Amino acid sequence: MDEKTIPILPCRTLPPVLDFYTALGFEVTFQQRSPNPFAVVERGGIQLQFFGMKQYVPTRSFSTCYVLTGDVDGLHEAFRAGLKAAYGKVPTRGLPRLGSLKDMSYGVRQFLMTDPGGNCIRVGQPTSDDPHHRPAPEETFARALHHAALLADSKDDPASAAKVIDRALGLPDEQPTRVQLLQLLVLRADAAGRLEDGETMASALTRAEALRLTAEEQHAARDALTRLQDLRSSEKA
C-alpha cells in the first residue's frame, strides 16, 4: 500500500491564501465554505490543504512543512515569475513573502516562502546524503555569512543576522572578497527590509549594486544577484 502525507495548514480566511497559491501556479482542486472553510491546492506532485479559523493570527504562526523537489531552481524561478505577474513585484517581507534560494550547510539547496496565512513552506532539493549541519567555516566572512543566513532564515531572527553582518563588515584589518561582500550586503539589505529599516536597506543595496564583478564572480554570486533584483523591485513598489 502506498502512503502519502498531506499537510493541512491553518489560515484566517481562504481567499488570500488561494489567490497566493494560484499566482504560484497551483490549481484549487477543492473548496468548501461550510460546515468549515476548507480548500485543496495542487501543483504537480505538491498538494497542500488549508482550513479557515477566524481567531487565527497569521503573524504568530509557527505552521510549516517541507516540499522536496528535483528542480528547486526551476520552482523558485516559476514562483518569482508568478508573484511578479500577480503582485507587480516579488514580495520579500511581511505576508506573503518569498525568500532567496540558498545552498544550506546541511546538504540541501532551498528557499522559504510564507503565505498570507503565515504558513512557512520550505522547498528544497537534496545536494548530499548527509542531513547534518556542517561545521561553520573558519574563514571570517564565510563564517559570518554562514551564521547570518541561519539566523535570518532558519531562526527568523533578522536583527541578530544584521548584528553578525555589521560586526564582520566593521572589521578594520580584514576585507571580504567581492563575492562575499555582495552576499553580505544583500543579506544585510534583506534583514533591514524585514526590520522596516528602509534607510539601511537602501544603503546596502546601493553599495551592492556598485560592485563590479567578473563573469566568474557573477556566476558564484548568482543567488545573491537574484535576491538583489527582488529586493530593489520590492523597495520601489
Side-chain angles (χ1 to χ4, degrees), residues 138-166:
E138 293 296 329
E139 194 275 328
T140 299
F141 299 101
R143 189 179 185 86
L145 280 165
H146 171 89
H147 287 302
L150 289 176
L151 286 166
D153 295 331
S154 298
K155 294 186 177 295
D156 194 21
D157 187 356
S160 294
K163 291 179 181 178
V164 170
I165 296 169
D166 289 343

Side-chain angles (χ1 to χ4, degrees), residues 16 39 91 108 118 124 145 153 165 171 174 185 205 208 217:
V108 295
L145 280 165
D153 295 331
I165 296 169
L171 292 173
E174 297 183 72
L185 289 171
L205 290 176
E217 288 171 333

